Amino acid sequence: MGLNFSGTIDRARNPERYPDKSKGPTFDSMYGFPDGRKPKIAPYTEEEMQTLNIPLDKRDYCAHYFRAMMLCTQQYWPSQYAYCEPERHAWDQCEIKNKIDDAKEYERELRLRRRRLRKEEVAAKLNSTEKEISKNEE
Amino acid sequence: MNHLIGLSRRSVLLTNRLPIQTSIRTALNNRDWRPNEDAPVSPEDRAATARKYNILEEDYKPLPPERNAGDMPDVAPAGKYFDRNPWEDYDYAADRQNWNEPRHPEDHIKYDKTRLGHGPEKQPIILKELLKLLVLPVTFILAAYGLRSLELMTPTFRSPKVEPGVVHYSFEKNDDSGHGVRY
C-alpha cells in the first residue's frame, strides 16, 4: 500500500518516466528483438465473431476457447456441475497468458522510457562538459 | 411476604414464589444471621446509636422486633434512583447517593422493570440498522471506483482489442513454429 501511494505520487510528479496506459506502447515493436516477434493470430474475423454470437467483451485473442466453453454450457445447462471445467480452464489460461503479455509490454515500455531519459541526461552532461572545455579553451 | 418481593397477591409475573419466600424467611429468621446489636432502650443508648447513624436523637426510631433489624432505624425511603433529583450535586452521581446517608431497603432498585422502555419508539428498526451496516463498504467501493483514474495498482496495459488492420505481437521468437496452433 505504501509503495502504491509513493508510486502514484512519483507518477504524478514525473509522468515521462511512466508509460501512458491510454496510449499503449509507443516504441517500435521490433526494437531490441533480433529474432523478431511472433504475431498474434486472431481466431475469428469481425464477421465471424458476429455470426457466432460471441459477447462483445470476449471478442479478443481467446474467443475460440470461449466459444468452446459456450457450446459446452449450452449443452449441459441448467446443470451446475463442472462438466465444462476443462473448457473454462483452457479459456482462463489463455486470458492469463494475454494478461502476462500486457504486463510485459508495460514493463518494456517503462524500461525503454527510462533508458531514453538516461541517454538524454548523459548527452546533456556531455554537452555541458564540452561547452566548459570550449569556454576554457577560448 | 409479597410486599417484600414487590408483587401483588394475584400477580402472575412470578408463579413459583416458594423459593424466594423461603430464602427471605431464612435471611430474616435464621439465628446465625441475627444482627449483633439489639434495639436500644435507654436514652443514652438511643443517643449513641442516633449519632452512629448520623440521625438527630429525636428522629431516631428503631424498627419493631419482629422485623429482626437490631438497632437499624426506621427510615422513610429517600426514593429510588429515578425518583431522586437528577440535578442535585451527589457524592456518587452514578448512584444518586451521598456518603453515609441512611438507606432504605426499598430504594436499592436502580433499574426498575416498570421503567424500562420496551415501547415501539425504542425498538430498533432492523432494516435501518442493516442499511447503517452498508455505509462503510459502499463508501469504500465508490472510492475505489472513483479513484480508478489514478491507476494505483495496475502495472499493465489494457488488453488490445482485435482490429482488422492492426497486428499485435507476442514475446516469442518468430521461428515459424506453432503453425495450426492458435495462441
Side-chain angles (χ1 to χ4, degrees):
Chain A
M1 194 172 79
L3 187 68
N4 282 319
F5 288 136
S6 58
T8 308
I9 292 160
D10 191 45
R11 198 201 177 95
R13 293 173 87 177
N14 304 320
E16 66 278 1
R17 291 174 64 81
Y18 293 87
D20 197 346
K21 283 199 210 188
S22 51
K23 291 204 187 101
T26 53
F27 291 90
D28 180 26
S29 297
M30 294 300 183
Y31 181 54
F33 291 94
D35 297 327
R37 287 172 77 174
K38 202 180 269 188
K40 279 195 194 178
I41 308 153
Y44 305 119
T45 62
E46 288 263 329
E47 296 83 16
E48 283 171 1
M49 299 256 208
Q50 185 67 36
T51 310
L52 295 167
N53 298 331
I54 293 168
L56 296 166
D57 292 334
K58 313 286 191 297
R59 294 187 184 182
D60 53 3
Y61 292 97
C62 301
H64 48 299
Y65 291 111
F66 185 82
R67 179 161 177 264
M69 188 180 80
M70 205 162 69
L71 293 171
C72 178
T73 314
Q74 286 166 4
Q75 183 186 351
Y76 286 102
W77 188 86
S79 170
Q80 301 295 321
Y81 185 70
Y83 292 119
C84 302
E85 178 58 26
E87 283 86 355
R88 192 208 62 81
H89 185 260
W91 173 69
D92 203 33
Q93 290 293 309
C94 177
E95 291 283 356
I96 285 163
K97 268 192 195 167
N98 285 352
K99 283 178 160 53
I100 290 166
D101 287 342
D102 299 333
K104 286 182 180 175
E105 284 280 1
Y106 184 92
E107 186 65 23
R108 177 171 177 263
E109 175 78 14
L110 184 119
R111 290 186 193 190
L112 285 169
R113 282 196 182 212
R114 302 277 169 99
R115 183 166 170 267
R116 189 203 292 168
L117 289 168
R118 281 201 304 272
K119 281 191 159 181
E120 285 168 6
E121 242 180 83
V122 165
K125 241 192 201 174
L126 278 172
N127 284 344
S128 69
T129 51
E130 277 175 9
K131 274 187 195 155
E132 280 179 18
I133 288 163
S134 63
K135 266 196 229 167
N136 293 337
E137 279 173 358
E138 284 167 12
Chain B
M1 179 69 73
N2 285 330
H3 73 279
L4 295 171
I5 302 166
L7 296 173
S8 63
R9 196 145 45 90
R10 294 181 51 130
S11 172
V12 297
L13 287 173
L14 192 64
T15 50
N16 189 10
R17 289 164 289 178
L18 186 61
I20 198 165
Q21 285 174 348
T22 50
S23 35
I24 288 168
R25 278 203 294 269
T26 309
L28 292 176
N29 303 125
N30 193 339
R31 71 176 82 90
D32 294 328
W33 295 346
R34 287 186 57 85
N36 277 330
E37 304 86 6
D38 290 321
V41 175
S42 64
E44 301 88 22
D45 292 339
R46 285 176 76 98
T49 48
R51 231 175 295 121
K52 182 176 92 157
Y53 283 111
N54 205 21
I55 299 173
L56 295 171
E57 292 167 21
E58 56 265 24
D59 287 338
Y60 175 74
K61 188 167 67 68
L63 288 155
E66 58 264 17
R67 292 291 303 276
N68 198 21
D71 62 355
M72 199 166 75
D74 195 1
V75 176
K80 299 187 180 58
Y81 175 86
F82 280 103
D83 297 328
R84 303 199 74 178
N85 184 9
W87 300 105
E88 197 181 311
D89 192 9
Y90 294 104
D91 295 334
Y92 306 107
D95 298 326
R96 290 185 190 165
Q97 292 278 328
N98 286 312
W99 183 75
N100 212 22
E101 71 171 343
R103 297 179 62 186
H104 192 84
E106 280 178 28
D107 298 339
H108 74 283
I109 292 162
K110 188 172 173 185
Y111 297 110
D112 203 350
K113 253 195 301 232
T114 58
R115 298 195 79 102
L116 290 174
H118 294 298
E121 67 272 5
K122 277 203 166 184
Q123 286 185 357
I125 301 157
I126 304 296
L127 277 173
K128 219 175 166 184
E129 300 292 323
L130 290 172
L131 284 171
K132 279 182 204 169
L133 283 172
L134 280 176
V135 164
L136 277 172
V138 166
T139 51
F140 181 75
I141 288 160
L142 289 172
Y145 185 77
L147 297 168
R148 276 170 70 191
S149 58
L150 294 178
E151 291 169 339
L152 288 172
M153 294 192 233
T154 51
T156 63
F157 285 129
R158 296 201 187 93
S159 274
K161 291 198 182 112
V162 174
E163 286 158 27
V166 184
V167 182
H168 295 116
Y169 295 97
S170 74
F171 282 85
E172 295 171 10
K173 287 183 206 169
N174 200 0
D175 54 358
D176 290 337
S177 70
H179 278 291
V181 176
R182 283 178 295 189
Y183 183 73

